[in-house]
Amino acid sequence: MTEIEFAYVDVFATAPLTGAPLTLVPGADGLSDEQMRAVAREFNQSETTFIQRPTTAGATWRLRSFTPSGAEVFGAGHNALGAWLWLAASGRVGDGDFTQQIGPDVLPVYVRGLFVTVEQSPPVFGAIAADREGLAAALGLDVEDLAADRPAQVVSTGAGHLLVPVRDRAAVGRAAPDAGRLVAALRAVGGEGCYVYTHDTVDPAATAHARFFNPAMGIAEDPATGTAAGPLAALLSAGGVVVIEQGHAMGRPSTITVTVAGDRVRVTGSGRVVARGTMTVADAEPVTADEEGFLRRAIGLAARSRAAGDAPFGSLLVGPGGEVLAEEHNTVRSDDDITAHPELKLARWAARNLDAAAAAGTTMYTSCQPCGMCAGAIDRSGLGRVVYALSGAQLEALQAPGGGRSGAGRRGPALFEEARAVLEGYYS
């Protein structure tokens, strides 16, 4: 058994028991992905964040965040703010400028007293939801509740969410999503979560009033969502300060301040550490004989690519009965082409061919840790588990100086010499 320290942080809050609650585990370097997922399920908050030493040059700390369903989420929102508020409150950092590693990104952080500002990724404006009737029904609304002058659009500043404008605050309050239909609507446009908003605010000084839903990640509703507030601010303003109020429907009112300056999006908030304690965690389970066999098959696929002169990576999907559903290996010479990554191709296959229940019972076995982009696609596909053959430390030791991957796999490492042998020399 392992004893770990944890804390509760109320983010985007000026008083305890308001804002967005975050459970935080510092010193999480020794935890496996399965242990982190188990801890996140136990706390059952929208996100639990784990603070680790960075694996990318130039980062002060590395943050990994998991939902209760075990999905790893990326982007710098209340997960990042809460972590830095705790680091400041515990004396680990003082006022200053820092950097954080989240997935494949290294992002600036600014600590000033009781306030933390995190910089998000440059905004990316994605697909528009053309099926207004279907979207309204998925949200439990009438189509007339949707704003007539603005479309619902996916925007990302690290995580892509569907931003849905409605006509007034009453419509925001009436939203009652059908989880299955909303997940389907989000997948159709490549969105992760759904941010329903209006300019009809409680506080006249606020820009927007919003609610956030993310059923695919096990989040029924979130009282404050920095990874959605950033995209909304980027959509509403090319420059200036945007204030978003959220959490009123949950009895946890929150205020999120976002500053936009062209492609720079920065989210600012305060908060309070409201609880501290320790938890007993079961030791990580070893890889089973069956899992070992599937991993060796994935390594064999990677070896086939290497023999052909292509990037040496392979993966397969296995159903709950042990049947191989699909397999892929790289067929291009460089892993710079993300679309050729076998993990991404299989995640997309799963999203097209498996319903939610089937996906949850399916495991991906991969010869190497998925990159950040592939990990995001895996999470959106709803796959239940990922088992990988190579540890992050092994992979980084094989890469050229300055290289790095997110280490986003969820189970392992299996530490197979075969996996290391297939990659040996590839990055040199």
Side-chain angles (χ1 to χ4, degrees):
M1 296 294 179
T2 301
E3 292 288 326
I4 63 170
E5 178 185 357
F6 71 86
Y8 272 79
V9 185
D10 286 340
V11 188
F12 299 119
T14 56
L17 310 185
T18 62
L22 176 77
T23 40
L24 181 76
V25 178
D29 298 278
L31 296 179
S32 70
D33 292 2
E34 284 294 290
Q35 287 173 309
M36 287 189 279
R37 295 174 70 205
V39 170
R41 285 194 299 270
E42 180 73 13
F43 283 128
N44 200 33
Q45 297 297 321
S46 61
E47 293 175 22
T48 296
T49 295
F50 300 82
I51 301 178
Q52 299 179 330
R53 292 188 298 271
T55 59
T56 297
T60 311
W61 294 99
R62 180 189 187 193
L63 306 182
R64 297 184 66 186
S65 301
F66 293 83
T67 70
S69 68
E72 184 168 8
V73 292
F74 305 95
H78 89 281
N79 58 328
L81 281 157
W84 287 93
L85 287 165
W86 179 88
L87 286 166
S90 63
R92 266 70 166 185
V93 300
D95 284 7
D97 300 349
F98 307 95
T99 53
Q100 58 186 347
Q101 177 189 352
I102 298 179
D105 299 320
V106 176
L107 302 169
V109 181
Y110 312 96
V111 178
R112 302 292 186 271
L114 296 177
F115 288 86
V116 172
T117 298
V118 296
E119 190 152 337
Q120 299 184 330
S121 300
V124 177
F125 298 89
I128 289 174
D131 183 4
R132 289 170 55 86
E133 290 80 5
L135 178 58
L139 290 169
L141 297 173
D142 296 326
V143 69
E144 292 79 12
D145 288 322
L146 304 184
D149 58 339
R150 286 160 289 149
Q153 183 175 10
V154 174
V155 182
S156 172
T157 56
H161 299 305
L162 180 62
L163 312 180
V164 182
V166 298
R167 63 184 183 181
D168 54 27
R169 197 163 70 243
V172 173
R174 284 197 302 274
D178 178 306
R181 296 179 73 173
L182 183 56
V183 167
L186 290 168
R187 286 183 176 173
V189 292
E192 179 181 305
C194 180
Y195 209 36
V196 180
Y197 73 94
T198 179
H199 292 297
D200 177 17
T201 60
V202 175
D203 182 352
T207 310
H209 179 90
R211 294 174 67 191
F212 180 79
F213 311 103
N214 194 347
M217 295 295 186
I219 302 172
E221 184 169 357
D222 190 29
T225 315
T227 61
L232 179 57
L235 180 68
L236 298 179
S237 175
V241 176
V242 176
V243 178
I244 299 165
E245 57 185 30
Q246 190 182 334
H248 289 259
M250 302 179 70
R252 298 187 68 96
S254 308
T255 300
I256 308 171
T257 302
V258 187
T259 304
V260 181
D263 282 347
R264 295 190 69 187
V265 178
R266 290 174 289 176
V267 177
T268 299
S270 186
R272 296 289 185 272
V273 179
V274 296
R276 297 176 176 85
T278 58
M279 173 185 284
T280 301
V281 179
D283 293 333
E285 296 179 6
V287 174
T288 67
D290 286 344
E291 290 174 333
E292 180 177 325
F294 291 128
L295 284 170
R296 290 184 186 278
R297 182 164 173 168
I299 294 165
L301 292 169
R304 184 188 308 175
S305 290
R306 185 70 185 262
D310 296 322
F313 304 106
S315 303
L316 60 147
L317 295 179
V318 177
E323 67 280 15
V324 175
L325 304 178
E327 60 182 36
E328 290 281 357
H329 61 95
N330 247 17
T331 55
V332 297
R333 296 190 180 277
S334 171
D335 70 341
D336 291 338
D337 182 358
I338 300 294
T339 62
H341 287 196
E343 301 94 346
L344 181 62
K345 290 191 284 188
L346 288 178
R348 289 176 172 174
W349 184 92
R352 291 192 305 268
N353 294 284
L354 302 178
D355 61 25
T362 298
T363 299
M364 178 184 291
Y365 294 88
T366 179
S367 65
C368 193
Q369 292 197 25
C371 68
M373 183 72 73
C374 292
I378 291 167
D379 287 335
R380 289 191 294 274
S381 73
L383 290 173
R385 291 194 309 146
V386 176
V387 184
Y388 55 89
L390 204 64
S391 74
Q394 282 182 311
L395 178 60
E396 286 156 16
L398 291 169
Q399 290 176 311
R405 282 178 181 265
S406 69
R410 298 187 197 148
R411 172 91 184 264
L415 304 177
F416 290 133
E417 290 299 323
E418 297 96 318
R420 186 163 58 184
V422 170
L423 275 173
E424 197 78 55
Y426 174 71
Y427 291 104
S428 60

